[in-house]
Amino acid sequence: MHRVRRLAVLATATVVSVGTAVLGAGGPACAVPNSKAPATGKKADFNGDGYGDIAIGVMQESISGVRTTGAVTVLRGSSKGLTGTGSVSWHQNTAGVPGVNEPYDMFGTQISLVDMNGDGRSELAVGTRSENITEGNVWYFKSGSAGLTTSGVVSIGPKTVGLTAKYRAFGGYLVK
């Protein structure tokens, strides 16, 4: 089953590596540069090597018996195109990622890539409306010369920004 899922993710990643975004209902969410970006538009380059990298949200991934907890996988670009070499997968039980895997969290439902600090390397925002049932959350992964890292991941939820009511679905929609 995992092999089929991984092949589906890789097939989706291959499709999106040409510069479009794919959000499949119940399937992986992938984020890559917008195909309508100007000619001078930036690649989603996490490590600054000049090759486009992609992030794939696998919101229905079950991990260690926890159903539909979700994960995010990062694939690197190279001179030969997209590669699995050096790829990483993260979820809420990964060291440095705040939170814990819970059933139906659907971590990775939303993904946004943006160079937040202007250093030429894209950072990653991961969102889900399903954290803590329907409160939602956003996680911000920083990048550096080695790419994205789980060191210093920032977790932002409704309470972080002063919202008190439950069922906010915070992080359910991220601007691409």
Side-chain angles (χ1 to χ4, degrees), residues 24 91-92 98 119 129 132 142 161 172:
H91 47 82
Q92 289 186 79
D119 67 355
R129 62 182 294 147
N132 298 325
K142 298 174 184 174
V161 296

Side-chain angles (χ1 to χ4, degrees), residues 11 16 36 54 76 79 94 96 107 122-123 135 139 141 145 148 153 163 167:
V16 299
K36 295 181 181 178
I54 67 171
R76 295 182 182 248
S79 61
T94 301
F107 180 83
S122 298
E123 284 76 39
E135 282 189 30
W139 294 262
F141 292 77
S145 60
L148 292 169
V153 173
L163 300 175
Y167 313 111

Side-chain angles (χ1 to χ4, degrees), residues 71-106:
V72 172
T73 298
V74 175
L75 300 175
R76 295 182 182 248
S78 72
S79 61
K80 296 179 182 177
L82 193 62
T83 179
T85 302
S87 66
V88 292
S89 291
W90 297 315
H91 47 82
Q92 289 186 79
N93 279 3
T94 301
V97 179
V100 296
N101 288 345
E102 298 167 314
Y104 307 103
D105 270 352
M106 300 176 80

Side-chain angles (χ1 to χ4, degrees), residues 125-161:
V126 175
T128 179
R129 62 182 294 147
S130 303
E131 175 71 6
N132 298 325
I133 305 174
T134 56
E135 282 189 30
N137 207 66
V138 174
W139 294 262
Y140 170 68
F141 292 77
K142 298 174 184 174
S143 65
S145 60
L148 292 169
T149 179
T150 58
S151 176
V153 173
V154 177
S155 174
I156 304 165
K159 292 177 184 171
T160 309
V161 296

Side-chain angles (χ1 to χ4, degrees), residues 30-32 46 55 110-116 122-127 138-141 173-176:
C30 302
V32 294
F46 299 128
Q110 295 290 314
I111 296 173
S112 184
L113 310 173
V114 63
D115 182 1
M116 293 291 291
S122 298
E123 284 76 39
L124 171 66
V126 175
V138 174
W139 294 262
Y140 170 68
F141 292 77
Y173 303 95
L174 298 177
V175 176
K176 303 280 186 247

